[in-house]
Amino acid sequence: MKKDIILAGVGGQGILTIATILGTAAIKRGMNLKQAEVHGMSQRGGDVQSHLRLSDDPIWSDLIPYGSADMILSVEPLEALRYLPYLKEDGWIISNSTPFKNIPNYPPEEEIYREIKKIPNYVLFDADTLANAQKANRSMNIVVLGAAITHLGFSQEEIEEAIKAIFAPKGEAIVEANLRALLAGIETK
Amino acid sequence: MPKLMLLGDEALAQGALDAGISGFYGYPGTPSTEIIEYAQKSKQAAENNIHRTWSSNEKTALEAALGMSASGKRAMVTMKHVGLNVAADPLMNSAITGASGGLIIAVADDPSMHSSQNEQDSRYYGNFAMIPVLEPGNQQECYDMAFYGFELSEKYHIPVLLRLTTRLAHSRSGIVTKEPIPQNEMRKPEDMFQFMLLPAIARKKYQHHLELQKDFMRESLNSPFNAYKTEASSKKLGIITTGLAYNYLREAFKGEEIPYPVLKIGQYPLPEKQIHQLYDSCDELLVIEEGMPVVEEQLKGLAFPGLKPIHGRLDGYLPRTGELNPNLVAKAFSLPDTIGRPVPEIVVGRPPALCVGCPHSDTFLSLNEVMAEYGRGHVFSDIGCYTLGFMPPYNSINSCVDMGASITMAKGASDSGLFPAVAVIGDSTFCHSGITGLLDCIYDKANVMIVILDNATTAMTGGQNYTGYGKLEDICLGLGVEKEHIRIFVPLKKNYPEITQIYKEELAYNGVSVVIARRECIQTLKKKNKMETVE
């Protein structure tokens, strides 16, 4: 298996946590992994992305070449569009539809949605509301991850196991909230 | 043993810990910060009592590391590329004194300027100082080069420069670790002349340094990090890659065998013999390197007529500036480019901005009220989160050059008659390089107002401690700022009347004023509150 994933969002929205969960599950399978992160000035409310590459074969570049990502996994709809040049022809966009508006010229949501819907394979849904419904307000990122895992070839159990391992130090309540968030995402069609 | 998933920075730190390091020194700077942060979080480092606190700046850090090396122990100093400018003095001179215990100068370059003022290439400094340079191509090499670098350093008593770049520093992958080895014993230098660069001694030592060059060359030729693949189906082109550029080459050819001879460089000086072999056996050369065209320039020298074509960043085969990626490398071979859909026109930029609730925001907005009557061009600033005060809605500052330059540029402007001349500098930046500039101001009784943004941390790089924390007033008093002209306020909206009054009074004072805007960084505060809830 080989999966190249662009994780997108705004600094502080939790895309690195998604990367850590997917990475943990991939390593458990014995896959190779490279994950390029963004640190520094861009993290201050700017757009951030992470290139996550998982493969059974050796991985060379830390960066995903243009036109070859299997998925753009975005916790914010405008950010999902920013990385379209990386997406391959039959790649998927999985994106939260709730905008994060910290710029004065944020485009109208309807226009953003229209652009996302031009991509043949997409899942666009309100992950914020689903997270809140699960009383897991801070786990919107995990809801988005939930919607992606079957497209990435991971099982619910594999991801649950990774979540338990990663969030265990933060206590049972946080683990449970994230597991509920994951399930809410998985059930999204 | 299970693989550790580490950033390039972290892999280097873990490698140094396993290779018996006794001390890390450095000043935070993207993309190098995580080397020391990793050591600070490491249980292994704590158990072995490894030095790993931050230094005031890169110069003090390199000097301390040199002192540890002089005492026989292994030391590493870490910084970003522009930090090496600050540490250039001890760099150039430690090349002549040499080292005793292994000394690695780890510098992380930032091509494409993701978080920097420029994209200078530290390999030029390596050539300038004539010391061996290591350039890892992946996370495993980051780990392995810590061992190798210390050994090389001790073998020739020479500091070794290790150059990282953003993509490797901040990319994570699995690494295999080795059995840790113990630290060196402390020992005084055997040669009392070694660190004495009096001219008569320095001349001899410089001669010795020149003689070492052939040894460094031989080490490069036999280096496990340099590889020369001679078998090739075509000799039309010979390829030289450095550091992680090799990965982009392999990616561009989709992991298939490269049809041309390839010389992969991870250690400098360049192995001349292999370069000549490659040049002689191929029609043309292509140099693929991350950063500036250091190798390409070296190969080209003066472009004598009749020279075989050497391609790279200087002739447009690759872009002159910015980071490489697999697509750019594929294009250099005229391989079919892959590109997805274009970015829709509605997508607008989302530049970084000060956080909601950031204390700098109130400091700038209140300063704007007072400065409005003078127009723009009076506020010199510095390197940190507050550089974002240049952006709307603030538009408060008009310079960002190098660490500490706010104070000294304001002074120079004031010397030339500008009034008012204001400097805005962060607390950590002030302790890094602002203090000596303030002393200049006091010496000349310059008419400047210096605003120190005291958010109790080095915020831009993620909230590191700094050496002068809690001592700002004492430092200013000690340097000679008059007590009544050291003013402190809490940057909050409700205090604007008080704050603007302070600004006005200090602008009216013909001399050195220091105004301290004191409120903790909202990010470190959040982190602390979170920790308390978890506990």
Side-chain angles (χ1 to χ4, degrees):
Chain A
M1 184 168 107
K2 175 174 175 294
K3 293 289 174 195
D4 285 341
I5 307 154
I6 300 276
L7 300 163
V10 180
Q13 280 195 305
I15 64 166
L16 291 185
T17 306
I18 298 179
T20 307
I21 294 168
L22 285 173
T24 304
I27 289 160
K28 179 89 187 187
R29 281 192 186 178
M31 296 175 80
N32 294 306
L33 172 157
K34 280 201 173 185
Q35 182 205 332
E37 303 174 0
V38 170
H39 297 215
M41 187 175 252
S42 334
Q43 285 177 295
R44 297 280 168 269
D47 55 272
V48 292
Q49 94 285 23
S50 173
H51 291 218
L52 179 63
R53 313 194 72 185
L54 312 171
S55 177
D56 295 324
D57 298 318
I59 304 166
W60 289 104
S61 168
D62 295 87
L63 294 174
I64 297 170
Y66 288 116
S68 60
D70 298 283
M71 179 182 287
I72 293 172
L73 183 53
S74 181
V75 291
E76 207 278 349
L78 176 62
E79 296 310 319
L81 294 173
R82 197 180 300 283
Y83 306 100
L84 276 184
Y86 286 101
L87 192 65
K88 66 181 185 191
E89 194 53 41
D90 58 348
W92 281 81
I93 287 190
I94 311 278
S95 180
N96 184 9
S97 62
T98 309
F100 186 94
K101 295 183 183 178
N102 63 343
I103 44 173
N105 53 342
Y106 194 93
E109 280 108 291
E110 284 316 314
E111 287 185 29
I112 295 174
Y113 300 155
R114 205 178 309 137
E115 291 291 344
I116 291 177
K117 288 172 184 173
K118 285 181 188 168
I119 308 304
N121 301 316
Y122 73 91
V123 179
L124 178 66
F125 70 115
D126 183 351
D128 281 63
T129 299
L130 287 179
N132 292 344
Q134 294 301 324
K135 295 193 169 41
N137 304 19
R138 293 173 64 181
S139 303
M140 171 276 285
N141 55 341
I142 308 301
V143 177
V144 180
L145 169 64
I149 62 168
T150 52
H151 298 291
L152 292 174
F154 285 102
S155 70
Q156 182 178 340
E157 292 70 31
E158 282 177 289
I159 302 296
E160 280 180 348
E161 200 181 324
I163 287 178
K164 284 177 195 163
I166 289 160
F167 289 102
K170 296 189 174 178
E172 190 59 27
I174 293 193
V175 172
E176 288 303 323
N178 281 302
L179 291 177
R180 290 196 305 275
L182 181 75
L183 194 62
I186 290 173
E187 286 167 353
T188 301
K189 287 287 172 270
Chain B
M1 192 183 269
K3 282 187 176 181
L4 288 176
M5 296 305 302
L6 298 179
L7 299 176
D9 277 350
E10 297 173 340
L12 176 62
Q14 184 60 50
L17 286 169
D18 290 343
I21 194 173
S22 297
F24 293 88
Y25 295 86
Y27 184 82
T30 311
S32 71
T33 314
E34 293 79 5
I35 303 170
I36 289 190
E37 281 194 328
Y38 181 86
Q40 289 175 342
K41 287 178 202 148
S42 158
K43 224 171 112 184
Q44 181 185 356
E47 280 166 4
N48 293 297
N49 199 25
I50 307 300
H51 181 277
R52 58 199 186 283
T53 54
W54 295 106
S55 304
S56 287
N57 64 38
E58 295 84 356
K59 177 178 183 288
T60 65
L62 176 42
E63 290 155 352
L66 182 64
M68 180 170 270
S69 162
S71 308
K73 296 201 170 189
R74 291 184 164 184
M76 179 181 285
V77 56
T78 77
M79 63 196 74
K80 68 183 293 173
H81 56 340
V82 286
L84 191 53
N85 299 331
V86 178
D89 204 356
L91 168 75
M92 295 305 294
N93 292 310
S94 64
I96 310 301
T97 63
S100 177
L103 175 58
I104 295 178
I105 301 167
V107 187
D109 291 356
D110 189 18
S112 277
M113 301 172 243
H114 295 281
S115 215
S116 305
Q117 313 96 291
N118 72 31
E119 61 170 18
Q120 67 183 63
D121 192 313
S122 297
R123 293 175 298 166
Y124 281 116
Y125 270 115
N127 289 348
F128 192 18
M130 295 185 285
I131 57 175
V133 175
L134 301 176
E135 188 183 5
N138 57 45
Q139 292 79 357
Q140 185 67 50
E141 285 190 352
C142 289
Y143 178 85
D144 295 338
M145 279 183 178
F147 282 79
Y148 182 84
F150 283 136
E151 284 163 20
L152 185 66
S153 173
E154 288 175 1
K155 185 170 176 188
Y156 295 101
H157 303 288
I158 192 77
V160 170
L161 194 131
L162 190 147
R163 181 211 189 211
L164 289 159
T165 48
T166 306
R167 246 358 121 174
L168 183 52
H170 286 169
S171 178
R172 204 175 284 285
S173 193
I175 60 142
V176 182
T177 58
K178 297 182 199 176
E179 195 60 38
I181 58 173
Q183 297 177 48
N184 291 350
E185 294 293 326
M186 203 283 285
R187 60 168 193 274
K188 290 194 263 186
E190 284 161 23
D191 172 8
M192 284 301 149
F193 287 68
Q194 186 183 352
F195 296 95
M196 269 314 302
L197 292 185
L198 276 169
I201 303 171
R203 279 191 285 270
K204 278 185 202 149
K205 292 199 66 72
Y206 184 55
Q207 197 55 46
H208 173 66
H209 187 49
L210 293 177
E211 284 157 17
L212 281 176
Q213 299 304 311
K214 62 178 187 311
D215 295 314
F216 299 160
M217 182 69 72
R218 193 184 56 247
E219 291 290 341
S220 285
L221 198 61
N222 301 321
S223 169
F225 302 106
N226 292 344
Y228 185 17
K229 176 186 89 80
T230 49
E231 67 281 10
S233 55
S234 167
K235 298 268 170 102
K236 276 192 177 143
L237 193 65
I239 301 166
I240 299 171
T241 69
T242 75
L244 88 172
Y246 182 73
N247 303 336
Y248 296 145
L249 175 69
R250 296 301 306 265
E251 190 75 38
F253 283 89
K254 307 206 179 314
E256 304 286 324
E257 201 59 34
I258 311 294
Y260 310 108
V262 180
L263 178 57
K264 170 186 176 285
I265 303 289
Q267 180 173 344
Y268 305 76
L270 287 176
E272 272 175 23
K273 199 171 141 193
Q274 291 172 335
I275 300 261
H276 281 297
Q277 281 173 6
L278 187 72
Y279 181 84
D280 291 342
S281 63
C282 300
D283 299 342
E284 302 181 7
L285 295 188
L286 171 66
V287 183
I288 311 174
E289 52 192 324
E290 183 81 312
M292 296 169 83
V294 177
V295 172
E296 193 184 345
E297 277 184 356
Q298 238 176 309
L299 296 193
K300 276 186 168 153
L302 290 169
F304 292 109
L307 196 76
K308 289 179 187 172
I310 296 171
H311 305 297
R313 287 183 180 269
L314 291 172
D315 68 351
Y317 264 66
L318 292 161
R320 177 63 182 79
T321 65
E323 269 190 308
L324 295 175
N325 64 45
N327 298 79
L328 291 172
V329 173
K331 259 189 225 163
F333 292 94
S334 305
L335 291 168
D337 194 13
T338 54
I339 183 112
R341 295 170 179 79
V343 179
E345 273 172 26
I346 57 160
V347 176
V348 289
R350 198 191 297 260
L354 292 177
C355 307
V356 176
C358 173
H360 303 335
S361 161
D362 290 312
T363 306
F364 282 132
L365 292 176
S366 54
L367 184 64
N368 284 356
E369 287 185 21
V370 177
M371 296 305 294
E373 64 174 291
Y374 304 105
R376 292 191 71 182
H378 291 265
V379 184
F380 298 87
S381 194
D382 231 297
I383 313 282
C385 288
Y386 49 93
T387 312
L388 298 171
F390 176 72
M391 316 281 267
Y394 309 104
N395 307 309
S396 304
I397 62 169
N398 50 272
S399 83
C400 156
V401 179
D402 66 65
M403 296 286 281
S406 57
I407 295 179
T408 31
M409 283 181 73
K411 178 186 184 296
S414 166
D415 290 347
S416 71
L418 181 78
F419 176 81
V422 178
V424 176
I425 184 168
D427 48 354
S428 182
T429 307
F430 175 72
C431 294
H432 175 288
S433 281
I435 296 174
T436 45
L438 176 55
L439 194 57
D440 285 356
C441 294
I442 291 160
Y443 182 68
D444 272 356
K445 201 169 188 279
N447 189 11
V448 292
M449 179 173 84
I450 296 160
V451 183
I452 303 180
L453 306 171
D454 179 4
N455 60 358
T457 190
T458 315
M460 178 91 274
T461 44
Q464 293 75 26
N465 296 333
Y466 67 93
T467 52
Y469 172 72
K471 302 187 186 79
L472 296 182
E473 295 97 301
D474 287 346
I475 290 169
C476 295
L477 274 173
L479 291 177
V481 184
E482 292 156 287
K483 195 168 182 186
E484 56 275 27
H485 295 291
I486 300 176
R487 310 286 296 271
I488 300 165
F489 67 78
V490 180
L492 282 169
K493 202 153 212 117
K494 64 174 185 186
N495 297 339
Y496 280 19
E498 177 206 341
I499 299 169
T500 51
Q501 186 59 32
I502 290 176
Y503 284 145
K504 280 179 192 162
E505 286 171 16
E506 296 311 323
L507 286 177
Y509 171 62
N510 186 359
V512 182
S513 308
V514 174
V515 179
I516 302 174
R518 177 166 292 153
R519 178 154 73 81
E520 184 169 357
C521 167
I522 198 95
Q523 294 292 344
T524 54
L525 194 65
K526 264 191 218 164
K527 236 186 257 172
K528 268 187 216 163
N529 290 344
K530 229 189 228 174
M531 298 255 283
E532 274 161 25
T533 359
V534 173
E535 282 157 19

